[in-house]
C-alpha cells in the first residue's frame, strides 16, 4: 500500500506510547486523473486489490476515497472500500477488472476514520480489509442501500392525555414511569419504553388496546429529544470537580490527554456531563466510551436527564442491525450529539468530534479478543490526537499503563479524592482460617446482612463465578467431572440439573455416580452465584434475593429489567458477578460482602494483583453512595496480605507505586512491550511444531527481542482443539514493531489456526 504509518516514541508521543504518522494516499484532484481504485476487501489477505475505475463523469459526482464499491472477485462479487485512487497499477491493464458499481447513497468514510483503521492494521498486524470492515455496520458490509430510517415509537392519544391522575395507582410504579416518559407529545421509541421495566411490554400492549397510546413513525435513529421536558437542575460542582472541568476546557485547541482518577462516588460522570455540555454548546460532537452494555442504560439516563433536547446516540452490540445502521448514519451526519458506546464505537464517523471520554479506562473489555485485536482505549487516544481534541480517561482504579504515563509526563492527572455526597465505605477483612463457613458465608457477613434487612437497606454479595459450584467431586477418590472437549472441569448448574462447560458450551446431565470408583457421594466443590443464592434464601427466608449474572441477564432487555427491580427496592440482597462491580448507583445499597477473592492471589498472570485490586475497589464503591453509611466485608484466609491492606486503606497511589516497582524489576509491561502468537489445531504435535518453527525463524532475524519458549495456556484444549502460545517481548514499541514487520509474513501455515495479539491482556 502507498499509505504508511509506523509506531514510534517521539518527543511528544501519543500517551499510550504510540506515535501516529500517516502519509496521505493519492486522491483525485492531482495533476494525473486517477484510473485505478485500490480497494479493501473483507478477505484474510494483507493487501489492497486494484480495479479499473468507471467513467470520469461518474467519478466527479463525489470523492472516491472511503466510498463503497461492488467489484468482481472470484466467481462472484464483493463489497469493498476504496482506500486509494491512482493513475496506474503495478499490474498490466489487461489483467485488471473494472469496478461494477460505485455507491453514492452514503457519504464516504471520514478521512480520520480511515487513517485510524489503517494505523490499526499496521500496528496490530491484521489484514487491511478485515480492519476496515470492522468499522462498518453489517448492512453496509452486505451492500445495503440507503433508505429513510424509520423507528417504531409510541405516543399518547388524546384519550391518553386526558387520563385522570388517579387512573393509575400510586403503587403501580412501572405504569407511572411509563406515563411520565410519554407525558410529552413527542413520540418515544418503543425500545426506550421497554427498558423501564420487565413488564413494560405487556402494559404498553394493554394501553394500545385501551386506546391510550398509539404506534407512530419516528424519523430519527435514536431517542427523540423532548424539548417539552425541562432539563434537570445542574448540581453545584465540588471544588475538585470544578478544577477538573476547568483544566480540560482550558487546554489549547489541540490534543490533550487527561487521566481523571476519582474515588468511587466522587462524581466523574458529573465531570463528563459538564464537558459534554460545553462540547454541544460549541456545535461539536462528543464520544463517550463505556466498557460494557450493562453500564450503558444508567449512563444514558444521566445524559438524557441533563440534555433533554440533545441528540443522544447509543451504540453497542445488543442493537439490531437496522438500529446500528440508523445511529451510525446519525453520527456521520456531523450534527451536534453525544455518542455513548462500547469499544466498537471508537470507529464511529464523527465529523464534528470535539471531545473523547473513556469511562472505566482500566477495564479489560476495551481490548477486542478476536479478529482485529485492538484496544479501544489506545485507539481513542490516537483518534483524539488525530483530531486535536482532549481525551479524558476516567477510573477509580486506573490501569498501571495509564498511571505510568502520568508519571512520565505524558498525561495530566486530575483527581477527585472524595465522594461528592457521601462518606467512603468502611472496608475490613474477616479472617476465615479458623471459621466455620455456611456454604461459603461467614457468621459476620450473615449478621451484617440481617441488620440491613431489618433496616430496609440493600446488600450485595459479590462472587465472581456463575453456576452452582465450579466442580463436582467424588468424596472417595477425588475424581472431578471433566469436559470431554476441553481441559476444564464442568460447572454444576443445579437448578437446571446440568453440568456445563463455560468454555465450549458442552452440556450434560448431572452425574449420579463416580465413573472411576462407583461412589454415589458426589459433592459440589466451591461456590458459584447459584449456590450462594440458595444459601442466602435458606439463611434469610424473609429476604428477597436476586441473582445477577450472565445466566439471568440473557436477552435484550433482561439486564434493564433487573436493574429496574433493584432501583424500585423490590430486592433486598443481590448476588452478583463482576457485572455488578462498577458503574451502578443504588442509594439504599449499604453493604457489600466479597466471597472467594483469594483465588486471584494464586494466578500466574502478572496482572492478577492489579485486576483484583481494581475489582475489590470497584465493588466496594457500590456501598453507601448516598446519605447512608456503607460497609464492605472481604472474606479471606490472608487478612494480612499487602493487597488487602491497600484496599482497606483505599490507597491507590501506594498500591500503584508498589506494583510498578515489581513490574520494572521483572521487566513486565509497561516497562516492556509484548506480542503473543497463539495457535490451535486438532493435534498437539502440529501446534508445537508450528510454534517451534515460528520461534526459530524469529530468532534468525537477529532483532533485539526476547522470544520465549512455546507454552500451553491455562486451558490447553477448547472444543477439541489443542492450544499453545509463544510470547515475544521487546524493550520498546519500535523494536517490537520492526521485528513483527519482518516476522509476521512468515507466520501463515495451513496446518494450524493462528492469531497474533499485540499488547495482550489475556495470557
Amino acid at each position: 500500500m502507498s499509505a504508511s504509518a509506523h509506531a514510534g516514541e517521539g518527543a511528544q508521543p501519543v500517551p499510550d506510547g504510540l506515535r501516529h504518522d500517516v502519509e496521505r494516499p493519492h486522491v483525485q484532484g492531482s495533476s494525473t486523473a486517477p484510473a485505478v481504485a485500490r480497494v479493501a476487501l473483507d478477505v484474510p489477505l494483507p493487501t489492497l486489490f486494484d480495479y479499473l475505475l468507471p467513467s470520469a463523469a461518474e467519478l466527479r459526482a463525489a470523492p472516491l476515497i472511503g466510498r463503497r464499491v461492488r467489484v468482481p472477485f472470484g466467481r462472484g462479487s464483493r463489497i469493498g472500500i476504496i482506500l486509494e485512487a491512482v493513475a496506474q497499477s503495478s499490474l498490466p491493464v489487461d489483467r485488471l477488472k473494472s469496478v461494477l458499481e460505485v455507491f453514492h447513497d452514503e457519504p464516504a468514510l471520514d478521512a480520520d476514520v480511515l487513517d485510524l483503521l489503517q494505523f490499526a492494521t499496521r500496528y496490530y498486524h491484521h489484514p487491511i480489509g478485515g480492519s476496515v470492515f470492522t468499522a462498518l455496520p453489517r448492512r453496509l458490509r452486505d451492500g445495503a442501500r440507503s433508505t429513510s430510517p424509520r423507528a417504531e415509537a409510541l405516543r399518547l392519544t388524546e384519550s391518553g392525555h386526558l387520563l385522570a391522575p388517579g387512573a393509575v395507582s400510586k403503587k403501580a410504579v412501572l405504569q407511572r414511569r411509563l406515563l411520565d416518559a410519554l407525558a410529552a407529545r413527542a413520540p418515544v421509541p418503543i425500545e426506550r419504553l421497554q427498558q423501564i421495566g420487565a413488564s413494560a411490554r405487556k402494559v404498553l400492549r394493554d394501553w394500545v388496546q385501551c386506546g391510550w397510546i398509539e404506534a407512530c413513525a419516528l424519523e430519527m435513529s435514536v431517542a427523540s429529544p423532548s424539548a417539552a421536558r425541562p432539563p434537570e437542575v445542574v448540581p453545584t460542582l465540588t471544588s475538585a470537580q470544578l478544577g477538573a472541568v476547568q483544566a480540560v476546557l482550558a487546554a489549547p485547541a489541540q490534543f490533550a490527554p487527561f487521566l481523571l482518577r476519582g474515588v468511587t462516588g466522587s462524581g466523574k460522570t458529573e465531570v463528563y456531563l459538564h464537558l459534554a455540555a460545553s462540547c454541544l454548546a460549541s456545535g461539536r460532537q462528543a464520544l463517550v466510551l463505556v466498557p460494557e452494555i450493562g453500564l450503558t442504560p444508567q449512563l444514558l439516563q444521566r445524559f438524557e436527564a441533563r440534555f433533554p433536547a440533545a441528540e443522544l446516540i447509543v451504540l453497542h452490540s445488543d442493537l439490531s442491525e437496522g438500529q446500528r445502521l440508523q445511529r451510525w448514519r446519525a453520527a456521520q451526519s456531523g450534527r451536534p450529539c453525544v455518542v455513548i458506546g462500547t469499544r466498537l464505537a471508537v470507529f464511529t464517523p464523527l465529523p464534528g468530534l470535539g471531545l473523547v471520554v473513556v469511562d472505566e479506562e482500566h477495564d479489560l473489555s476495551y481490548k477486542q479478543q478476536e479478529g482485529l485485536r485492538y484496544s479501544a482505549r489506545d485507539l481513542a487516544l490516537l483518534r483524539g490526537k488525530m483530531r486535536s481534541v482532549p481525551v479524558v480517561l476516567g477510573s477509580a482504579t486506573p490501569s498501571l499503563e495509564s498511571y505510568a504515563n502520568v508519571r512520565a509526563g505524558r498525561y495530566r492527572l486530575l483527581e477527585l479524592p472524595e465522594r461528592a455526597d457521601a462518606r467512603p465505605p468502611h472496608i475490613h477483612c474477616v479472617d476465615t482460617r479458623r471459621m466455620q463457613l455456611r456454604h461459603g458465608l461467614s457468621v459476620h457477613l450473615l449478621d451484617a446482612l440481617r441488620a440491613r434487612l431489618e433496616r430496609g437497606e440493600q446488600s450485595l454479595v459479590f462472587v465472581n463465578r456463575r453456576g452452582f459450584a465450579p466442580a463436582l467431586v467424588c468424596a472417595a477418590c477425588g475424581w472431578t467431572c471433566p469436559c470431554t472437549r476441553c481441559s476444564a472441569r464442568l460447572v454444576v448448574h443445579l437448578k437446571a440439573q446440568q453440568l456445563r462447560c463455560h468454555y465450549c458450551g458442552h452440556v450434560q446431565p448431572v452425574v449420579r455416580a463416580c465413573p472411576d470408583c462407583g461412589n454415589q457421594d458426589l459433592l459440589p466443590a466451591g461456590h458459584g452465584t447459584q449456590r450462594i443464592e440458595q444459601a442466602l434464601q435458606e439463611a434469610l427466608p424473609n429476604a428477597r434475593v436476586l441473582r445477577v449474572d450472565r445466566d439471568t441477564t440473557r436477552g435484550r432487555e433482561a439486564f434493564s429489567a433487573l436493574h429496574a427491580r433493584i432501583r424500585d427496592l423490590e430486592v433486598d440482597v443481590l448476588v452478583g458477578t463482576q457485572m455488578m462491580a462498577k458503574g451502578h448507583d443504588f442509594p439504599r445499597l449499604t453493604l457489600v460482602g466479597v466471597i472467594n477473592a483469594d483465588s486471584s492471589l494464586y494466578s500466574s498472570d502478572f496482572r492478577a494483583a492489579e485486576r483484583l485490586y481494581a475489582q475489590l475497589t470497584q465493588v466496594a464503591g457500590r456501598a453507601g453512595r448516598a446519605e447512608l453509611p456503607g460497609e464492605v466485608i472481604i472474606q479471606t484466609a490472608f487478612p494480612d496480605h499487602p493487597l488487602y491492606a491497600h484496599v482497606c486503606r483505599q490507597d491507590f497511589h501506594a498500591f500503584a507505586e508498589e506494583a510498578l516497582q515489581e513490574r520494572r524489576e521483572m521487566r513486565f509491561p509497561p516497562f516492556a512491550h509484548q506480542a503473543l502468537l497463539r495457535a490451535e489445531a486438532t493435534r498437539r504435535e502440529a501446534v508445537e511444531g508450528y510454534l517451534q518453527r515460528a520461534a526459530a525463524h524469529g530468532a534468525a532475524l537477529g532483532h533485539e527481542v526476547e522470544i520465549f519458549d512455546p507454552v500451553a495456556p491455562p486451558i490447553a484444549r477448547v472444543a477439541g482443539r489443542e492450544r499453545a502460545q509463544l510470547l515475544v517481548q521487546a524493550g520498546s514499541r519500535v523494536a517490537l514493531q520492526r521485528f513483527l514487520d519482518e516476522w509476521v509474513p512468515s507466520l501463515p501455515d495451513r496446518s494450524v489456526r493462528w492469531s497474533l495479539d499485540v499488547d495482550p491482556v489475556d495470557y
Side-chain angles (χ1 to χ4, degrees):
M1 293 183 294
S2 62
S4 64
H6 61 275
E9 297 177 7
Q12 179 55 46
V14 173
D16 62 352
L18 305 180
R19 178 179 160 205
H20 177 67
D21 183 14
V22 174
E23 175 188 327
R24 297 296 301 144
H26 177 83
V27 297
Q28 62 206 66
S30 61
S31 58
T32 304
V36 174
R38 309 204 68 205
V39 179
L41 299 176
D42 192 8
V43 295
L45 295 171
T47 185
L48 299 179
F49 297 85
D50 289 3
Y51 290 92
L52 294 174
L53 285 166
S55 65
E58 184 176 352
L59 296 182
R60 286 194 294 269
L64 279 177
I65 306 303
R67 190 162 296 283
R68 287 189 305 155
V69 291
R70 186 184 300 277
V71 297
F73 191 83
R75 296 182 179 180
S77 65
R78 284 182 176 267
I79 300 299
I81 301 290
I82 298 178
L83 294 189
E84 299 179 29
V86 297
Q88 61 183 21
S89 171
S90 59
L91 298 173
V93 175
D94 58 1
R95 292 184 57 188
L96 298 181
K97 296 181 180 180
S98 296
V99 171
L100 300 176
E101 182 181 10
V102 179
F103 290 81
H104 294 294
D105 57 326
E106 295 279 346
L109 274 178
D110 297 350
D112 69 312
V113 174
L114 291 176
D115 285 349
L116 186 69
L117 289 165
Q118 292 193 67
F119 176 87
T121 294
R122 290 183 293 272
Y123 184 79
Y124 295 106
H125 295 269
H126 191 72
I128 178 65
S131 299
V132 171
F133 276 76
T134 294
L136 290 179
R138 180 169 296 278
R139 290 195 176 180
L140 294 185
R141 284 182 262 164
D142 295 341
R145 296 183 178 279
S146 178
T147 57
S148 177
R150 301 177 70 86
E152 290 186 72
L154 294 171
R155 64 187 173 195
L156 287 174
T157 61
E158 291 302 320
S159 299
H161 279 290
L162 295 176
L163 280 175
V168 176
S169 169
K170 292 182 179 180
K171 296 182 179 180
V173 178
L174 172 64
Q175 296 185 33
R176 285 189 167 274
R177 284 188 170 164
L178 288 171
L179 279 179
D180 290 341
L182 290 161
R185 293 185 178 270
V188 181
I190 294 177
E191 177 191 3
R192 186 200 294 182
L193 293 171
Q194 290 175 345
Q195 290 177 350
I196 292 177
S199 304
R201 187 190 298 270
K202 181 181 183 303
V203 173
L204 293 171
R205 186 167 57 245
D206 293 343
W207 287 2
V208 169
Q209 294 176 353
C210 293
W212 294 355
I213 58 177
E214 62 183 357
C216 58
L218 185 68
E219 293 289 339
M220 293 190 65
S221 61
V222 290
S224 174
S226 173
R229 184 179 64 191
E232 67 174 3
V233 177
V234 179
T236 302
L237 294 177
T238 65
S239 58
Q241 289 173 327
L242 181 61
V245 171
Q246 291 177 339
V248 177
L249 296 181
Q254 62 185 30
F255 171 62
F258 298 90
L259 178 62
L260 178 63
R261 195 197 81 82
V263 300
T264 55
S266 60
K268 293 184 291 295
T269 302
E270 194 60 43
V271 173
Y272 304 156
L273 288 166
H274 275 74
L275 295 176
S278 176
C279 189
L280 291 171
S282 62
R284 308 290 295 279
Q285 296 173 307
L287 173 63
V288 180
L289 297 181
V290 294
E292 298 174 9
I293 297 173
L295 300 182
T296 308
Q298 190 161 335
L299 189 66
L300 177 61
Q301 291 170 6
R302 293 286 303 276
F303 273 84
E304 285 178 334
R306 184 62 56 86
F307 309 118
E311 188 170 8
L312 304 178
I313 300 174
V314 182
L315 293 169
H316 53 68
S317 60
D318 210 23
L319 298 174
S320 68
E321 292 302 327
Q323 289 172 326
R324 187 187 172 201
L325 177 58
Q326 292 171 13
R327 300 174 185 204
W328 191 86
R329 285 169 172 159
Q332 191 182 32
S333 71
R335 299 191 300 266
C337 65
V338 177
V339 174
I340 302 175
T342 49
R343 60 175 176 260
L344 190 57
V346 74
F347 297 116
T348 304
L350 294 164
L353 184 64
L355 170 71
V356 178
V357 172
V358 183
D359 191 29
E360 307 291 356
E361 66 88 23
H362 68 280
D363 199 286
L364 300 183
S365 299
Y366 283 121
K367 178 70 165 151
Q368 173 70 18
Q369 297 295 344
E370 58 185 18
L372 175 62
R373 289 169 165 79
Y374 64 93
S375 166
R377 179 198 63 196
D378 294 350
L379 292 186
L381 286 158
L382 183 56
R383 190 160 191 193
K385 181 175 177 61
M386 292 164 59
R387 294 297 298 270
S388 299
V389 301
V391 179
V392 178
L393 308 180
S395 176
T397 55
S399 65
L400 291 182
E401 286 81 1
S402 295
Y403 187 73
N405 278 317
V406 168
R407 295 184 60 191
R410 299 192 184 105
Y411 295 2
R412 179 175 173 184
L413 179 64
L414 306 174
E415 294 208 74
L416 307 179
E418 298 177 352
R419 286 191 165 188
D421 299 310
R423 293 171 290 173
H426 172 59
I427 307 175
H428 61 102
C429 294
V430 170
D431 188 349
T432 60
R433 285 174 291 186
R434 290 178 293 275
M435 187 178 294
Q436 187 70 32
L437 301 180
R438 181 175 179 178
H439 298 294
L441 302 169
S442 66
V443 173
H444 296 76
L445 180 55
L446 287 171
D447 288 344
L449 289 168
R450 292 189 184 97
R452 267 63 183 191
L453 188 61
E454 291 174 0
R455 297 201 295 261
E457 299 169 6
Q458 294 176 313
S459 304
L460 166 64
V461 177
F462 177 77
V463 51
N464 200 23
R465 186 181 289 274
R466 62 189 177 99
F468 185 83
L472 190 65
V473 180
C474 174
C477 69
W479 170 87
T480 57
C481 189
C483 175
T484 57
R485 306 174 66 214
C486 305
S487 55
R489 294 189 295 256
L490 295 180
V491 177
V492 182
H493 286 252
L494 195 61
K495 289 188 176 180
Q497 286 294 297
Q498 291 177 337
L499 297 172
R500 299 178 188 171
C501 178
H502 288 179
Y503 292 91
C504 72
H506 170 73
V507 177
Q508 69 181 57
V510 173
V511 179
R512 300 302 177 186
C514 175
D516 287 355
C517 68
N519 174 44
Q520 296 184 1
D521 187 16
L522 302 182
L523 304 175
H527 303 88
T529 50
Q530 291 181 9
R531 189 172 191 176
I532 297 301
E533 177 190 26
Q534 184 182 88
L536 288 170
Q537 289 171 340
E538 294 173 358
L540 308 171
N542 296 324
R544 296 168 296 177
V545 180
L546 176 67
R547 174 165 52 91
V548 183
D549 57 21
R550 193 181 303 173
D551 296 321
T552 61
T553 55
R554 299 183 189 277
R556 186 163 293 179
E557 303 165 17
F559 188 84
S560 296
L562 294 178
H563 194 280
R565 289 182 59 190
I566 302 167
R567 186 185 58 216
D568 293 342
L569 303 181
E570 297 175 6
V571 177
D572 299 313
V573 182
L574 287 161
V575 179
T577 57
Q578 61 183 353
M579 64 173 57
M580 293 301 299
K582 53 185 176 292
H584 305 292
D585 191 353
F586 303 118
R588 299 290 297 180
L589 199 158
T590 60
L591 173 68
V592 170
V594 180
I595 295 174
N596 199 32
D598 292 346
S599 59
S600 295
L601 299 177
Y602 304 106
S603 174
S604 59
D605 186 348
F606 69 88
R607 286 193 171 91
E610 177 186 4
R611 294 176 183 177
L612 180 58
Y613 179 89
Q615 192 175 76
L616 293 176
T617 301
Q618 294 285 342
V619 75
R622 300 316 104 206
R625 294 177 68 91
E627 69 277 0
L628 299 174
E631 180 184 7
V632 180
I633 298 174
I634 302 174
Q635 295 187 173
T636 175
F638 305 96
D640 300 324
H641 195 286
L643 186 145
Y644 291 135
H646 290 310
V647 171
C648 291
R649 292 195 301 267
Q650 302 180 59
D651 191 347
F652 170 78
H653 289 289
F655 167 78
E657 293 292 342
E658 184 177 297
L660 282 175
Q661 181 60 31
E662 292 178 357
R663 298 271 186 96
R664 183 184 292 105
E665 294 173 357
M666 300 299 295
R667 291 189 298 122
F668 285 151
F671 304 103
H673 304 276
Q674 299 178 335
L676 191 65
L677 176 63
R678 297 185 178 95
E680 61 178 63
T682 55
R683 295 183 304 108
R684 176 148 297 278
E685 295 80 7
V687 175
E688 292 176 347
Y690 168 77
L691 291 178
Q692 288 169 358
R693 292 192 299 273
H697 180 75
L701 295 176
H703 286 268
E704 294 183 0
V705 298
E706 188 174 4
I707 303 175
F708 294 85
D709 292 334
V711 296
I715 304 298
R717 186 177 72 257
V718 173
R721 298 184 67 86
E722 302 292 339
R723 307 195 303 169
Q725 56 196 34
L726 174 70
L727 183 67
V728 178
Q729 182 168 291
S732 71
R733 291 187 192 275
V734 172
L736 180 62
Q737 286 293 326
R738 285 174 179 167
F739 168 76
L740 294 177
D741 287 341
E742 291 190 47
W743 189 48
V744 170
S746 70
L747 295 180
D749 190 317
R750 293 185 178 181
S751 66
V752 300
R753 182 186 300 164
W754 67 276
S755 64
L756 184 72
D757 191 354
V758 180
D759 301 335
V761 297
D762 183 11
Y763 298 85

